[in-house]
Amino acid sequence: MIKLTNLQKIYRTREIETVALENVNLEVRRGEFLSVMGPSGCGKSTLLNLMGLLDLPTSGTVEIDGVNTAGMRDKELAAFRNRRLGFVFQSFHLISSLNVLDNVELPLLYRKVSASERRKRAEAVLEQVGLSHRARHFPTQLSGGQCQRVAIARAIAGDPEILLADEPTGNLDSKMGIEIMELLHRLNREEGRTIVMVTHNEAQARQTSRVVRFFDGRQVQ
Ligand SMILES: Nc1ncnc2c1ncn2[C@@H]1O[C@H](COP(=O)(O)OP(=O)(O)OP(=O)(O)O)[C@@H](O)[C@H]1O
Ligand SMILES: [Mg+2]
């Protein structure tokens, strides 16, 4: 469903040039739970950003269901992102001035759904992640694990087929981490969502359907 071919990403500033990804060929298959591993700075977040159409490659192609995204207009890209992708960012990226429910509703603001439908959906996903009792709280009033669950609720609020999760347990203690992993596995197995997850945790990666490893911008396995 997402196919990367000869993908290269170079970040250029006036003085520095960083090759973040080099010659990456990778296909994400429908329904799989893919782990992306590798040392800090090897390009994992860059890879997720390119898969998620949040950034453009320097060269190479990103295909979605066989269609080269280079030929798509901004509107089409945004529509795809909105309808089919859910993001869990490396640090939760919750908006601190909005309560939990309003944070979770954010991806639905761009949909043609009524305010009451939005609220219903947000309440349903909050229940799914076990946080109904925190709906009116603000992010600063929550633990790290709870914030991450809100971030996951927000990511699935728009019912995306593909979930891109960047170190979803990175900031959590091991018990919270296990809970979040159980939640992700449930979303994969029971709801059939395709998941691409960046992780530094070998045990977590072993439980997923496939692991790809990067080193210095190149896929090594
Ligand atoms: N916006 C940017 N501008 C310039 N260089 C960048 C930018 N984003 C990332 N880089 C560089 O690209 C390389 C890959 O970064 P990336 O964030 O993808 O790594 P990562 O594997 O996700 O690391 P970590 O495990 O620490 O999150 C790094 O050398 C980084 O410094
Ligand atoms: Mg990263």
Side-chain angles (χ1 to χ4, degrees):
M1 55 201 323
I2 302 180
K3 188 176 178 195
L4 312 177
T5 309
N6 294 328
L7 207 67
Q8 186 195 47
K9 179 68 182 177
I10 302 176
Y11 293 109
R12 285 196 181 93
T13 59
R14 216 170 287 174
E15 291 112 35
I16 319 167
E17 190 177 277
T18 309
V19 182
L21 289 176
E22 184 75 64
N23 196 28
V24 175
N25 292 287
L26 181 62
E27 197 164 350
V28 181
R29 302 170 199 131
R30 184 161 278 127
E32 79 172 337
F33 192 155
L34 177 68
S35 293
V36 179
M37 297 195 77
S40 181
C42 72
K44 305 180 296 298
S45 295
T46 301
L47 181 81
L48 243 58
N49 288 342
L50 294 176
M51 277 185 180
L53 312 175
L54 294 172
D55 200 0
L56 293 170
T58 308
S59 63
T61 57
V62 180
E63 279 172 56
I64 305 288
D65 297 335
V67 180
N68 187 347
T69 54
M72 289 188 191
R73 287 168 302 152
D74 284 353
K75 238 180 157 173
E76 284 177 275
L77 289 176
F80 178 83
R81 252 194 323 263
N82 245 310
R83 263 187 276 115
R84 300 184 55 192
L85 297 174
F87 296 92
V88 179
F89 296 101
Q90 195 160 1
S91 44
F92 323 121
H93 280 304
L94 298 177
I95 296 183
S96 55
S97 58
L98 296 180
N99 72 21
V100 164
L101 210 47
D102 289 337
N103 265 286
V104 173
E105 280 188 26
L106 283 173
L108 301 173
L109 290 179
Y110 304 98
R111 302 277 180 91
K112 287 193 183 95
V113 290
S114 67
S116 65
E117 280 294 308
R118 264 205 313 270
R119 182 108 316 184
K120 250 183 38 209
R121 174 69 186 158
E123 284 169 349
V125 287
L126 265 188
E127 190 176 345
Q128 220 183 327
V129 302
L131 275 182
S132 297
H133 59 303
R134 293 285 182 265
R136 310 284 164 189
H137 283 60
F138 287 84
T140 51
Q141 300 169 317
L142 302 178
S143 71
Q146 289 171 333
C147 283
Q148 192 58 290
R149 280 190 279 162
V150 175
I152 291 173
R154 180 182 56 188
I156 58 172
D159 197 22
E161 294 165 43
I162 307 165
L163 214 54
L164 301 174
D166 201 347
E167 300 195 38
T169 66
N171 299 320
L172 308 178
D173 67 34
S174 60
K175 184 169 165 285
M176 287 286 187
I178 289 168
E179 270 179 36
I180 295 293
M181 286 310 297
E182 282 171 358
L183 173 62
L184 291 176
H185 279 288
R186 223 166 47 230
L187 293 171
N188 175 242
R189 281 202 208 107
E190 292 170 19
E191 299 188 0
R193 296 188 207 277
T194 305
I195 301 182
V196 183
M197 172 182 76
V198 171
T199 181
H200 286 283
N201 185 317
E202 284 286 347
Q204 278 179 6
R206 269 199 301 275
Q207 290 167 3
T208 62
S209 43
R210 187 158 61 111
V211 185
V212 289
R213 291 172 201 276
F214 283 80
F215 188 81
D216 216 2
R218 288 173 185 274
Q219 191 182 335
V220 289
Q221 192 186 322

PDB file of all heavy atoms in Angstrom, residues 11-13 18-20 38-47 90 166-167 198 200, ligand 1:
ATOM      1  N   TYR A  11      19.020  16.719   3.875  1.00  0.00           N
ATOM      2  CA  TYR A  11      18.678  18.002   4.478  1.00  0.00           C
ATOM      3  C   TYR A  11      19.824  18.961   4.191  1.00  0.00           C
ATOM      4  O   TYR A  11      20.972  18.666   4.504  1.00  0.00           O
ATOM      5  CB  TYR A  11      18.510  17.861   5.996  1.00  0.00           C
ATOM      6  CG  TYR A  11      17.316  17.035   6.428  1.00  0.00           C
ATOM      7  CD1 TYR A  11      17.498  15.768   6.986  1.00  0.00           C
ATOM      8  CD2 TYR A  11      16.018  17.515   6.314  1.00  0.00           C
ATOM      9  CE1 TYR A  11      16.403  15.013   7.414  1.00  0.00           C
ATOM     10  CE2 TYR A  11      14.926  16.768   6.730  1.00  0.00           C
ATOM     11  CZ  TYR A  11      15.134  15.525   7.282  1.00  0.00           C
ATOM     12  OH  TYR A  11      14.054  14.775   7.700  1.00  0.00           O
ATOM     13  N   ARG A  12      19.480  20.094   3.588  1.00  0.00           N
ATOM     14  CA  ARG A  12      20.535  21.063   3.262  1.00  0.00           C
ATOM     15  C   ARG A  12      20.288  22.370   3.982  1.00  0.00           C
ATOM     16  O   ARG A  12      19.201  22.928   3.916  1.00  0.00           O
ATOM     17  CB  ARG A  12      20.548  21.359   1.763  1.00  0.00           C
ATOM     18  CG  ARG A  12      21.131  20.244   0.946  1.00  0.00           C
ATOM     19  CD  ARG A  12      21.487  20.731  -0.469  1.00  0.00           C
ATOM     20  NE  ARG A  12      22.030  19.603  -1.228  1.00  0.00           N
ATOM     21  CZ  ARG A  12      21.304  18.799  -2.001  1.00  0.00           C
ATOM     22  NH1 ARG A  12      20.014  19.009  -2.140  1.00  0.00           N
ATOM     23  NH2 ARG A  12      21.881  17.800  -2.639  1.00  0.00           N
ATOM     24  N   THR A  13      21.293  22.847   4.672  1.00  0.00           N
ATOM     25  CA  THR A  13      21.256  24.231   5.125  1.00  0.00           C
ATOM     26  C   THR A  13      22.420  24.894   4.398  1.00  0.00           C
ATOM     27  O   THR A  13      23.122  24.243   3.621  1.00  0.00           O
ATOM     28  CB  THR A  13      21.450  24.350   6.650  1.00  0.00           C
ATOM     29  OG1 THR A  13      22.704  23.783   6.971  1.00  0.00           O
ATOM     30  CG2 THR A  13      20.355  23.633   7.406  1.00  0.00           C
ATOM     31  N   THR A  18      23.133  17.004   5.206  1.00  0.00           N
ATOM     32  CA  THR A  18      22.998  15.725   5.900  1.00  0.00           C
ATOM     33  C   THR A  18      22.234  14.760   5.023  1.00  0.00           C
ATOM     34  O   THR A  18      21.102  15.038   4.618  1.00  0.00           O
ATOM     35  CB  THR A  18      22.207  15.884   7.222  1.00  0.00           C
ATOM     36  OG1 THR A  18      22.788  16.936   7.968  1.00  0.00           O
ATOM     37  CG2 THR A  18      22.220  14.607   8.028  1.00  0.00           C
ATOM     38  N   VAL A  19      22.875  13.637   4.714  1.00  0.00           N
ATOM     39  CA  VAL A  19      22.160  12.594   3.979  1.00  0.00           C
ATOM     40  C   VAL A  19      21.430  11.751   5.017  1.00  0.00           C
ATOM     41  O   VAL A  19      22.034  10.957   5.728  1.00  0.00           O
ATOM     42  CB  VAL A  19      23.136  11.726   3.149  1.00  0.00           C
ATOM     43  CG1 VAL A  19      22.349  10.676   2.358  1.00  0.00           C
ATOM     44  CG2 VAL A  19      23.953  12.606   2.218  1.00  0.00           C
ATOM     45  N   ALA A  20      20.131  11.960   5.129  1.00  0.00           N
ATOM     46  CA  ALA A  20      19.361  11.271   6.179  1.00  0.00           C
ATOM     47  C   ALA A  20      18.898   9.898   5.729  1.00  0.00           C
ATOM     48  O   ALA A  20      18.811   8.972   6.521  1.00  0.00           O
ATOM     49  CB  ALA A  20      18.164  12.125   6.586  1.00  0.00           C
ATOM     50  N   GLY A  38      17.068   1.041  14.622  1.00  0.00           N
ATOM     51  CA  GLY A  38      18.381   1.565  14.248  1.00  0.00           C
ATOM     52  C   GLY A  38      18.806   2.639  15.226  1.00  0.00           C
ATOM     53  O   GLY A  38      17.968   3.195  15.946  1.00  0.00           O
ATOM     54  N   PRO A  39      20.114   2.953  15.263  1.00  0.00           N
ATOM     55  CA  PRO A  39      20.612   3.927  16.235  1.00  0.00           C
ATOM     56  C   PRO A  39      20.071   5.337  15.996  1.00  0.00           C
ATOM     57  O   PRO A  39      19.568   5.648  14.915  1.00  0.00           O
ATOM     58  CB  PRO A  39      22.130   3.887  16.036  1.00  0.00           C
ATOM     59  CG  PRO A  39      22.353   3.216  14.734  1.00  0.00           C
ATOM     60  CD  PRO A  39      21.177   2.372  14.438  1.00  0.00           C
ATOM     61  N   SER A  40      20.180   6.161  17.024  1.00  0.00           N
ATOM     62  CA  SER A  40      19.728   7.542  16.944  1.00  0.00           C
ATOM     63  C   SER A  40      20.386   8.252  15.761  1.00  0.00           C
ATOM     64  O   SER A  40      21.587   8.117  15.540  1.00  0.00           O
ATOM     65  CB  SER A  40      20.092   8.242  18.257  1.00  0.00           C
ATOM     66  OG  SER A  40      19.647   9.557  18.199  1.00  0.00           O
ATOM     67  N   GLY A  41      19.595   8.961  15.000  1.00  0.00           N
ATOM     68  CA  GLY A  41      20.132   9.732  13.879  1.00  0.00           C
ATOM     69  C   GLY A  41      20.254   8.953  12.570  1.00  0.00           C
ATOM     70  O   GLY A  41      20.736   9.481  11.568  1.00  0.00           O
ATOM     71  N   CYS A  42      19.767   7.688  12.559  1.00  0.00           N
ATOM     72  CA  CYS A  42      19.946   6.878  11.336  1.00  0.00           C
ATOM     73  C   CYS A  42      18.861   7.147  10.299  1.00  0.00           C
ATOM     74  O   CYS A  42      18.910   6.613   9.203  1.00  0.00           O
ATOM     75  CB  CYS A  42      20.014   5.394  11.676  1.00  0.00           C
ATOM     76  SG  CYS A  42      18.419   4.710  12.184  1.00  0.00           S
ATOM     77  N   GLY A  43      17.860   7.960  10.650  1.00  0.00           N
ATOM     78  CA  GLY A  43      16.870   8.337   9.633  1.00  0.00           C
ATOM     79  C   GLY A  43      15.465   7.787   9.845  1.00  0.00           C
ATOM     80  O   GLY A  43      14.620   7.899   8.962  1.00  0.00           O
ATOM     81  N   LYS A  44      15.188   7.237  11.006  1.00  0.00           N
ATOM     82  CA  LYS A  44      13.892   6.582  11.238  1.00  0.00           C
ATOM     83  C   LYS A  44      12.723   7.574  11.183  1.00  0.00           C
ATOM     84  O   LYS A  44      11.715   7.321  10.522  1.00  0.00           O
ATOM     85  CB  LYS A  44      13.885   5.867  12.603  1.00  0.00           C
ATOM     86  CG  LYS A  44      15.021   4.873  12.760  1.00  0.00           C
ATOM     87  CD  LYS A  44      14.991   4.182  14.104  1.00  0.00           C
ATOM     88  CE  LYS A  44      15.202   5.100  15.297  1.00  0.00           C
ATOM     89  NZ  LYS A  44      16.519   5.798  15.324  1.00  0.00           N
ATOM     90  N   SER A  45      12.869   8.706  11.877  1.00  0.00           N
ATOM     91  CA  SER A  45      11.776   9.683  11.861  1.00  0.00           C
ATOM     92  C   SER A  45      11.623  10.285  10.469  1.00  0.00           C
ATOM     93  O   SER A  45      10.505  10.544  10.013  1.00  0.00           O
ATOM     94  CB  SER A  45      12.036  10.798  12.882  1.00  0.00           C
ATOM     95  OG  SER A  45      12.019  10.278  14.184  1.00  0.00           O
ATOM     96  N   THR A  46      12.750  10.480   9.804  1.00  0.00           N
ATOM     97  CA  THR A  46      12.708  10.985   8.424  1.00  0.00           C
ATOM     98  C   THR A  46      11.896  10.029   7.553  1.00  0.00           C
ATOM     99  O   THR A  46      11.041  10.451   6.765  1.00  0.00           O
ATOM    100  CB  THR A  46      14.141  11.123   7.869  1.00  0.00           C
ATOM    101  OG1 THR A  46      14.861  12.023   8.715  1.00  0.00           O
ATOM    102  CG2 THR A  46      14.140  11.646   6.445  1.00  0.00           C
ATOM    103  N   LEU A  47      12.154   8.731   7.730  1.00  0.00           N
ATOM    104  CA  LEU A  47      11.434   7.716   6.953  1.00  0.00           C
ATOM    105  C   LEU A  47       9.925   7.807   7.210  1.00  0.00           C
ATOM    106  O   LEU A  47       9.127   7.807   6.272  1.00  0.00           O
ATOM    107  CB  LEU A  47      11.940   6.322   7.355  1.00  0.00           C
ATOM    108  CG  LEU A  47      11.296   5.159   6.624  1.00  0.00           C
ATOM    109  CD1 LEU A  47      11.945   4.984   5.255  1.00  0.00           C
ATOM    110  CD2 LEU A  47      11.398   3.870   7.416  1.00  0.00           C
ATOM    111  N   GLN A  90       6.871  11.449  17.932  1.00  0.00           N
ATOM    112  CA  GLN A  90       7.919  11.020  18.860  1.00  0.00           C
ATOM    113  C   GLN A  90       7.695  11.578  20.275  1.00  0.00           C
ATOM    114  O   GLN A  90       7.911  10.901  21.254  1.00  0.00           O
ATOM    115  CB  GLN A  90       9.290  11.434  18.307  1.00  0.00           C
ATOM    116  CG  GLN A  90      10.448  10.729  18.991  1.00  0.00           C
ATOM    117  CD  GLN A  90      11.727  10.736  18.165  1.00  0.00           C
ATOM    118  OE1 GLN A  90      11.778  11.278  17.063  1.00  0.00           O
ATOM    119  NE2 GLN A  90      12.767  10.133  18.693  1.00  0.00           N
ATOM    120  N   ASP A 166       5.958   6.895  15.994  1.00  0.00           N
ATOM    121  CA  ASP A 166       7.395   7.138  16.184  1.00  0.00           C
ATOM    122  C   ASP A 166       7.755   6.989  17.661  1.00  0.00           C
ATOM    123  O   ASP A 166       7.433   7.864  18.462  1.00  0.00           O
ATOM    124  CB  ASP A 166       7.735   8.550  15.693  1.00  0.00           C
ATOM    125  CG  ASP A 166       9.214   8.695  15.383  1.00  0.00           C
ATOM    126  OD1 ASP A 166       9.996   7.808  15.776  1.00  0.00           O
ATOM    127  OD2 ASP A 166       9.578   9.704  14.741  1.00  0.00           O
ATOM    128  N   GLU A 167       8.379   5.896  18.010  1.00  0.00           N
ATOM    129  CA  GLU A 167       8.753   5.587  19.399  1.00  0.00           C
ATOM    130  C   GLU A 167       7.578   5.804  20.359  1.00  0.00           C
ATOM    131  O   GLU A 167       7.670   6.616  21.296  1.00  0.00           O
ATOM    132  CB  GLU A 167       9.966   6.419  19.826  1.00  0.00           C
ATOM    133  CG  GLU A 167      11.169   6.144  18.939  1.00  0.00           C
ATOM    134  CD  GLU A 167      12.460   6.672  19.543  1.00  0.00           C
ATOM    135  OE1 GLU A 167      12.611   6.586  20.769  1.00  0.00           O
ATOM    136  OE2 GLU A 167      13.304   7.161  18.786  1.00  0.00           O
ATOM    137  N   VAL A 198       8.408   2.945  14.917  1.00  0.00           N
ATOM    138  CA  VAL A 198       9.834   3.089  15.215  1.00  0.00           C
ATOM    139  C   VAL A 198      10.027   2.690  16.673  1.00  0.00           C
ATOM    140  O   VAL A 198       9.269   3.121  17.539  1.00  0.00           O
ATOM    141  CB  VAL A 198      10.292   4.550  15.021  1.00  0.00           C
ATOM    142  CG1 VAL A 198      11.717   4.734  15.537  1.00  0.00           C
ATOM    143  CG2 VAL A 198      10.189   4.950  13.558  1.00  0.00           C
ATOM    144  N   HIS A 200      13.190   1.353  19.784  1.00  0.00           N
ATOM    145  CA  HIS A 200      14.554   0.975  20.163  1.00  0.00           C
ATOM    146  C   HIS A 200      14.532  -0.308  20.984  1.00  0.00           C
ATOM    147  O   HIS A 200      15.559  -0.737  21.489  1.00  0.00           O
ATOM    148  CB  HIS A 200      15.201   2.099  20.986  1.00  0.00           C
ATOM    149  CG  HIS A 200      15.586   3.284  20.171  1.00  0.00           C
ATOM    150  ND1 HIS A 200      16.704   3.308  19.365  1.00  0.00           N
ATOM    151  CD2 HIS A 200      14.987   4.487  20.001  1.00  0.00           C
ATOM    152  CE1 HIS A 200      16.774   4.480  18.766  1.00  0.00           C
ATOM    153  NE2 HIS A 200      15.741   5.219  19.130  1.00  0.00           N
TER     154      HIS A 200
HETATM  155  N1  LIG B   1      14.869  19.165   9.616  1.00  0.00           N
HETATM  156  C1  LIG B   1      16.117  18.741   9.573  1.00  0.00           C
HETATM  157  N2  LIG B   1      17.120  19.543   9.107  1.00  0.00           N
HETATM  158  C2  LIG B   1      18.385  19.108   9.048  1.00  0.00           C
HETATM  159  N3  LIG B   1      18.784  17.880   9.424  1.00  0.00           N
HETATM  160  C3  LIG B   1      17.857  17.042   9.901  1.00  0.00           C
HETATM  161  C4  LIG B   1      16.491  17.427  10.013  1.00  0.00           C
HETATM  162  N4  LIG B   1      15.792  16.374  10.519  1.00  0.00           N
HETATM  163  C5  LIG B   1      16.688  15.398  10.722  1.00  0.00           C
HETATM  164  N5  LIG B   1      17.933  15.782  10.356  1.00  0.00           N
HETATM  165  C6  LIG B   1      19.152  14.953  10.375  1.00  0.00           C
HETATM  166  O1  LIG B   1      18.883  13.762   9.652  1.00  0.00           O
HETATM  167  C7  LIG B   1      19.408  12.620  10.302  1.00  0.00           C
HETATM  168  C8  LIG B   1      18.301  11.646  10.597  1.00  0.00           C
HETATM  169  O2  LIG B   1      17.420  12.206  11.548  1.00  0.00           O
HETATM  170  P1  LIG B   1      16.134  11.454  12.099  1.00  0.00           P
HETATM  171  O3  LIG B   1      15.403  12.398  12.968  1.00  0.00           O
HETATM  172  O4  LIG B   1      15.401  10.856  10.956  1.00  0.00           O
HETATM  173  O5  LIG B   1      16.816  10.280  12.980  1.00  0.00           O
HETATM  174  P2  LIG B   1      16.177   9.175  13.920  1.00  0.00           P
HETATM  175  O6  LIG B   1      16.671   7.856  13.431  1.00  0.00           O
HETATM  176  O7  LIG B   1      14.711   9.372  14.000  1.00  0.00           O
HETATM  177  O8  LIG B   1      16.854   9.471  15.345  1.00  0.00           O
HETATM  178  P3  LIG B   1      16.275   9.309  16.841  1.00  0.00           P
HETATM  179  O9  LIG B   1      16.322   7.821  17.150  1.00  0.00           O
HETATM  180  O10 LIG B   1      17.226  10.089  17.674  1.00  0.00           O
HETATM  181  O11 LIG B   1      14.885   9.874  16.869  1.00  0.00           O
HETATM  182  C9  LIG B   1      20.116  13.131  11.543  1.00  0.00           C
HETATM  183  O12 LIG B   1      21.502  13.243  11.260  1.00  0.00           O
HETATM  184  C10 LIG B   1      19.518  14.498  11.784  1.00  0.00           C
HETATM  185  O13 LIG B   1      20.447  15.367  12.349  1.00  0.00           O
END
